[in-house]
Amino acid sequence: MSVDGPRTSVFTFQSAVHSHHVLRSLEELREKELLCDVTVEVERRSFRAHSSVLASCSGYFYTRLTNHSQANLTVRLPDEVTVEGFEPLLQFAYTAKLHFTKENILEIHRCAQFLGFQNLDKACFEFLVPKLSDGGGASKKVTSKSKNQASHDESQAICSPNGPNPETDEDCVPQDASAAMQAASVTSSAESPKDCPPISNDKEMQLDLSPLYTRSTSYHMDDGQDQFCLQNCGPQLPSSSLAAAEVCPFLSISSTSDNEKLHSSAADCGGDILAMEDEFQKELAVDMHCEPPTDKDLNIASITKGHFDQCEGPVMPSTDCTQLCPLNSAQSSGVLDGISGTPDLSNIGTEDNRVFDSNEQTFSELTPKDCCTERSMEEREVAEHLAKGFWPDLSSTLNEQLPLDSIDQPSAGNGSDFHWLKHLDLGAAPDDCPFLRDLSSNNTQTSGRDTLSKEDTGDSPCMSPINSRENSECESDGDCTQCSNSEQVQEVDLPFPVEQISSMTRRAFLQMLKREELTPEQLEFVQDVRRRSKNRMAAQRCRKRKLDCIYRLEGEIKKLRSVKEKLLQDHNQLKLSIEDVRQSLSGLCQSLCMDASPQSEQVQAMARYVSSDCPTSVLLTPMASPSLAGPDQDTHGNSSLDTFLADTYPEGDTVALRLPAAFLQDSVQSTVTDPAP
DNA sequence: CCCACGTGTCATTCC
DNA sequence: CCGGAATGACACGTG
């Protein structure tokens, strides 16, 4: 980009799937032993792998492999590393998924520490080892530290040669082997007794650190679906700036017994998110390249990617949920993209896909007993950790800002977590989006009166303040309906938030009317507001349906056009074939005419017919035209076609002519009527 | 000024 | 019969 030239806008497209794809491809290559340049020997077993992958994941391998330039290096691991511990780690290196059982978790932990495996310790072992081993001396020391502190340390982490630093940035050089050894030595003293009480059957659990490990901007599922959520509210989130649960609704729907706790965090950062929206939109709208990153860039990056504040440009949502959930801001879109990927959450939290196995499942349907009744406490905790582990700071914020009313209302909890969704355009078709469904009704029930001023988006809580004319016009148009509405609200002085009116169920609405003993003016106003609001949303749905219908019909038209195209092509093809046949037949007849006596009127007639446009034809062979081979011909002494054919093509020759049927009739007639020359 | 488009509202119909 | 949803028609603001 020229400095002197006119300022040009630089946009950044960041693939949400690229990193995951690369990792998956590497795994495939490893499975096929393609491009593998290193053999790792563990306990007499050999594992083929890519040195770059190993080096990038493990400080031990980094040191061992970067110091050698020879191809096809063989690395023999010391006895401290076992196959039991190494194999899952190797798998993790290529898949970001760690498969473990309570039996092998300690071994994996030990090997991971020895090898200086990054991205696992804090996110995984600190919690899992003590949980699964019931001893966990090693981790106790660390976990005794407050989560906030730990998080702070992580966020302050710098490249240090002194030890494994799982959360270090990519620019950092992995710790050296001595550090790995040091880590291993620490671990050895920390090994937990294996006689821990059984917590469950040998269920294998899976920790998926894809978003963390690959540092992609997007968590990518195996089925190709993108998820934004995990990095939006991933473990890297600084606790001070953002409460993860606010961005990630899944925390709020945790199917654990801590469900209520999680709600508390929802209130923490809504303001942050919403306040940043404008900036974010501006950022995405145009302009601003990313070099060097501004504070704002970093700020945004911290929202979207956690505190790894590498400037990679504004993160564009990579998936398209907008059809289902039309949004008004790119950020919302991104967030919602994350929501769209919910099915994968089930992978994270538990093997039991019941937690969230369908987009169709609404949050309100999720209750702790839905999914956790058959688990031991430890299992549940582990599952929770796997789900919450991506947001380690969350727990520290729990119970701190939980509004009492949100606890008191069991159903309200679901809604209270989603007031950030108010910035989405729900109007288009709330029913189309499983995540928005049912939100409107719950949402405003929990929003207190104090939220009225801030979140007054008109009488419909589902209306986007961006799209809502009622809101957007208020600033410029004093006569707008919203303003008069607001004035009316002030006039009638309702004892409850006006946005509740439309979101309530009818029963609740009537009960409220009963309870509040409104004046006739208030009553009229409230009913009017409710009616208009409902109708507004209905109109929006109706229009959305119309549009959908139009799109569908357009698609069908396209399809039919292509079918028509194909039929036309076939038609032309057939036409050409017919022409070919006609020409060949014509040539054949001409040759017949040459050979036959010029008196043969049948042949001439045949030639006439061949050259004419007669679509009908019959098969005629010298031996198979009994109608022509009657005694009449012989009686008249005429050279009938049959005789002609028989003469022209002696026995043995196979001649099959496709001649016009009319020709045959004509030929017979002429044979009968015409006098012999 | 005109026009297309988006949106809110009203009236009506349907379920 | 009532309420809610759906929808056509209209009005209005905006670019």
Side-chain angles (χ1 to χ4, degrees), chain A residues 556-568:
Chain A
E556 282 178 24
I557 288 173
K558 246 185 199 169
K559 249 191 248 169
L560 290 173
R561 282 214 173 109
S562 67
V563 168
K564 181 188 170 192
E565 200 83 1
K566 197 168 177 300
L567 288 173
L568 278 175

Side-chain angles (χ1 to χ4, degrees), chain A residues 89 98 100-113 120-143 186-197 199 205 207 378 381-382 385-386:
Chain A
L89 289 173
L98 184 69
F100 61 92
T101 65
K102 69 182 178 61
E103 276 76 24
N104 68 5
I105 183 68
L106 287 173
E107 193 59 31
I108 296 172
H109 183 205
R110 210 172 53 78
C111 292
Q113 288 205 309
L120 268 177
D121 245 33
K122 283 189 169 60
C124 174
F125 296 122
E126 278 183 15
F127 178 87
L128 295 177
V129 170
K131 276 296 165 199
L132 290 173
S133 67
D134 196 29
S139 304
K140 268 182 183 170
K141 179 181 155 196
V142 189
T143 49
V186 169
T187 323
S188 61
S189 67
E191 198 168 355
S192 305
K194 293 196 173 185
D195 54 350
C196 55
I199 56 174
M205 302 176 201
L207 174 65
E378 289 84 355
E381 278 190 66
V382 171
H385 175 74
L386 293 184

